[in-house]
Every structure is written in structure tokens, then in C-alpha cells.
Amino acid sequence: MLSFILAISPIVIVLVGIMAFRVSAAKIAPLALLWGMFLALTYFNITDLSLKDNIAVLDANVWKGLKEGFKIVVMIFGAFTILNALKATGAIEDVKAAITQFSGDDRRAQLIIIGIFVPIFLEGAAGAGAPAALTAPFLTALGFDPIIAIAVSLLGDCTCTSWGGAGLTTISGGAALVNEGISTTALNSAMVGRINSLGLLIVPLMAVLIAFGPKGLRGIMHFVVFAGVSGGLVMFALSNFVGPEITSLGTGVIGVILCILFVKFVPIKTPKEYRYKSEGKIKRKYSTFQALSPYIYILILIPLVRYGVPALFPENGFATMCLFGYICWVDAVILLCSLLGAITLGMNIKQMKKVVRQTVKSLAPVMITMGSLLCLSYVMQSETTGMMSTAAKTIAGIAGPAYPAAAVFIGSFGSFITGTGLGSNIMFAGMHIEASQLLGINPITVFAGQNAAGSLGNLICPNNVVAACATVNSIGREGDVLRITFRAFFIILIEYMVIAMLYTYMIFPNFGP
């Protein structure tokens, strides 16, 4: 038990510092990293490396963390630049007006359409932390409090990262089961879809409650139910009958279309306090296309590049895109879209330079935070420390017959640490196979619980929270976001634990090839 406590202690330091003592992530993350490295050199030197060899391993992990942190900061730079450009040109007011044209003037409907289904689309098109980083500024532009905007954007992304960009999280993350002949990619996608579709069922309701409280449901409950049920059914159908590659992207696109059609043709009684208020009659400076152009370019170019390049160059197109890491092509596209948006908005070189300087100045704390958290993540994942493995195996050992529920917790823990559902799946899939065989239970349903919870863990992952905070200029308020998202996380976590137990022992005990 001492090993378990020490293994998770760096993460406890981060959470307690941010949430209980309200210390900014930029200040607490480096301290947690130093503590984690101290443990790696002492108590968790499980391979008995010499001090010199151990430092060499840690050095490699630190550099890897800094490099990956920089890639994420580049993406944040692109997203934040777009927001600053819209503010600098005054196009932000035209963005608000344009959105009301297709989503109506009910702020709760706007929240669900943009805060829930747009992140699902972006996850399927790009993943890599882009959904919340791009959606939170959009909601902020509509007048939502930045903290609410971040929390809802993270919530929108919490059921779809089981597939991620082009289904990679399920395809690569479940490869261990496929290689063992236990399952197929289609079966892995189908089973996790049967869990996440039930999670999506309640996500719109939770979004409204987060932003407006119980009173916010007045006059709109029928739309909230429609959004959850229609989104869940679409996710179920795509994951079970089409495949993992387009489940997230398709759910997002179809969900947006269905919700817009509902708003257009079914009356919603909007109390005065939930009606979007335009600031009088403002003379439009930009057309709808110009005002939304940075986001329109993103919605077009991200899926076009992701699916177009591999189709045009099937032998090495995707490998070339990911030559410097998967997130790099996402960075490049978002930067290109921010430039194209600035040109479309008519910005001159002087204005662009001012926006760039303003954005760069805001990102120094983000680099410190992201670098520290990712370095800590790699140290904890390292085979030379076994910290992540120790924590997961302790949880699994305590669980016994409740292992399917434990797999859900382990999956969320893995993505909470690593910031990626794919990393969590790859790390723990083998352990789940072994445990399932020992207990005589279905490994497919157990892995589906892991996979679904890996998506859910992104809701509270400090990396994602910090990245989203940076895009709406709310660095230092990470604790405020986590206090909101943790409540939603635990509700869905318990739901997934119950589902995993029911699926494994009662509903799908013999599911498989």
C-alpha cells in the first residue's frame, strides 16, 4: 500500500495544489515533477540502475516531455491567435450574430450544439487536444463565462475520444486483443460504442446544469432529451455498423445537423434570462463567412488533410504527416487556418504582428505547465520506475470479481495521467487481458470499460484543462475548471462502472468472435 500511495503522490500534489490551495498549475506542476523525479531516483528505482544510468533515463523523459509540451503549445498558439484576431478586428460581434442565425437565440441550445457536438466532430477529425482548445474560445465569444466554456467543451469531448482521430484510439489501443485473437477492431468499436452512447445520453443535460443550474431546464427539456438520445443513437449506429474510423466525426456532424433542424422546426420556450441578447443594432462589419472564416477553414481543412493525404498517398502519406508526431500536422493546419482567417478578415501585417506578440506573451506559463506535466507523465509511465503500473495493479488486486468496474477506474486514471485515451489503452490492455483470463470473464467488455473510461479521463486531465484555459486567457484558474469537471466525471464514471459490470456478467458475457 505504501508503494501505491507514493506512486500516485505526484498527482495528488497537483490536484491538491490546484483545487484545494488554488495554486496555479504553472507553479505546482514543476514541484510535482521534482518530487516525481526524486521518487524515480530512490524508492522507484525498481531496475536497480546506477545513478548515472537512471539520470540518463530521466533526462530522456524530460526532453520528451518538453518536446511534446511544445507541440501542444503550438496548437494552443493557433487557437488563441484566432480568438485574439477576432477581438482585434471587431469580428467577434459578427461571430455572435452569425451563430444565432443557425442555432437560434436560446443560449442553452447554442451551448449544446457548439459545446457538445462540435468537440465530437473535432475529435474525430483531429483529436490531439484540439476539441476543447478550439471550442472554448467559440463559446466565450458568445458571452459564456470562460470557465463554463472550458468545462462544457471538455464535457463534449469526454465520450468520443475512445475513437479519437480516425478511430486510432480503438484501432491501435485495442491491438493487443486483436493480436491475441480475442477480438476484432469492429467488435472493440461496437462494445465501447454501447457504453459511450449511454454516456452521451446524459451529457447535454449535464452541460445545461453546469452552465445554468436546474432552472436552466425550463422550456427546453424536450430539446435536451432529443440531443442526448439522437446523439447516442447516432454514435451507437456508427460504432456498431460502420466502424471506428468515422464514429466521432460522423456523430458530431450529424448531431449538429439534427439539433439545428430541431431548433428550426420545434418551438423552444426561452425565458428572458436565457435569451441571447445582441447589443442593439450593430452595423455588420463582416459577412457571415468572413466572421466565421477561421473556424470554417478548420472544419474543412482538418478532415480534408486527415483523410485526403492518406488517400492520395496510401503508401506513406499518413506516415509523412506524423513524421514529427501525430499532433504536428494538427498544429500546421490550425496555424494555416489562423493565417487564412486573418487574411480573410483583412488584417494587415502590423495588426498580425500585434496579435502574435499578444498571444506569445500569454503562453510562457503554459509551456512551463505543459512541459512539467508531460515530463511527470513519462517518468511515471517509464518501465524503470513502474509507478503507473504499481498504481494500476494495486487497484486491480483489490477489485477481485469487481474487476470490470476497476478497469473503468484504471482507464480513466491512465488518460488522466497521460492526457490521451490511446496511451491509456496501450498501457493497460495487456493487463486487462491477463486479469480477465484469470477471472474467467469477457476481456472484450472489460477492455471496452477501459476504453470508454480512457475517453472520460480527458474531462479532468490537467494537460487538457491547462490547454483550454490558455485559449481563453484564463491561466491560473485551472482549479475552478476542475471543481466543475470533477463532479461530472464522477457521475459518468459511476455510470460506466455499473454498465461494465452488467455487460460483463449479465448482458454480454459471451460477446466475441
Side-chain angles (χ1 to χ4, degrees), residues 14-32:
V14 173
L15 288 179
V16 172
I18 292 175
M19 296 180 67
F21 294 100
R22 299 181 181 272
V23 179
S24 72
K27 293 180 179 178
I28 200 66
L31 295 177

Side-chain angles (χ1 to χ4, degrees), residues 130-181:
L134 291 170
T135 309
F138 216 119
L139 290 174
T140 303
L142 282 173
F144 286 96
D145 179 85
I147 302 305
I148 297 299
I150 296 166
V152 171
S153 298
L154 290 169
L155 180 65
D157 197 34
C158 80
T159 62
C160 55
T161 55
S162 294
W163 297 278
L168 285 178
T169 304
T170 287
I171 295 169
S172 298
L177 282 79
V178 176
N179 294 338
E180 291 282 337

Side-chain angles (χ1 to χ4, degrees), residues 289-334:
F289 170 75
Q290 286 177 309
L292 293 174
S293 61
Y295 298 107
I296 292 173
Y297 292 137
I298 286 171
L299 295 179
I300 293 173
L301 290 181
I302 282 183
L304 185 66
V305 172
R306 174 60 188 87
Y307 294 99
V309 172
L312 290 173
F313 307 98
E315 292 186 5
N316 58 8
F318 186 68
T320 302
M321 284 169 56
C322 303
L323 189 63
F324 299 104
Y326 182 88
I327 195 175
C328 287
W329 76 265
V330 180
D331 290 346
V333 173
I334 292 176

Side-chain angles (χ1 to χ4, degrees), residues 355-377:
V355 167
V356 168
R357 283 195 301 269
Q358 179 185 359
T359 306
V360 169
K361 187 177 179 181
S362 304
L363 292 182
V366 185
M367 186 66 230
I368 294 171
T369 305
M370 298 303 299
S372 299
L373 290 175
L374 286 167
C375 290
L376 176 61
S377 169

Side-chain angles (χ1 to χ4, degrees), residues 356-415:
V356 168
R357 283 195 301 269
Q358 179 185 359
T359 306
V360 169
K361 187 177 179 181
S362 304
L363 292 182
V366 185
M367 186 66 230
I368 294 171
T369 305
M370 298 303 299
S372 299
L373 290 175
L374 286 167
C375 290
L376 176 61
S377 169
Y378 293 128
V379 169
M380 293 182 68
Q381 293 176 58
S382 173
E383 293 181 358
T384 62
T385 68
M387 294 170 73
M388 179 79 81
S389 178
T390 296
K393 287 179 178 178
T394 301
I395 296 167
I398 295 171
Y403 188 83
V408 171
F409 186 85
I410 291 168
S412 64
F413 176 74
S415 60

Side-chain angles (χ1 to χ4, degrees), residues 98 105 119 129 139-140 142 174 187 194 249 259 279 391 427 436 450:
D105 61 356
L139 290 174
T140 303
L142 282 173
L187 291 176
R194 298 180 192 196
L249 187 146
C259 285
E279 298 177 6
M427 197 178 313
S436 298
Q450 149 77 43

Side-chain angles (χ1 to χ4, degrees), residues 230-250:
S230 61
L233 288 174
V234 171
M235 180 177 282
F236 175 86
L238 292 176
S239 62
N240 278 260
F241 303 114
V242 179
E245 292 84 358
I246 66 165
T247 294
S248 290
L249 187 146

Side-chain angles (χ1 to χ4, degrees), residues 182 393 403 428-440 443:
I182 294 170
K393 287 179 178 178
Y403 188 83
F428 297 126
M431 184 180 77
H432 296 320
I433 292 173
E434 183 179 346
S436 298
Q437 290 171 341
L438 289 172
L439 292 167

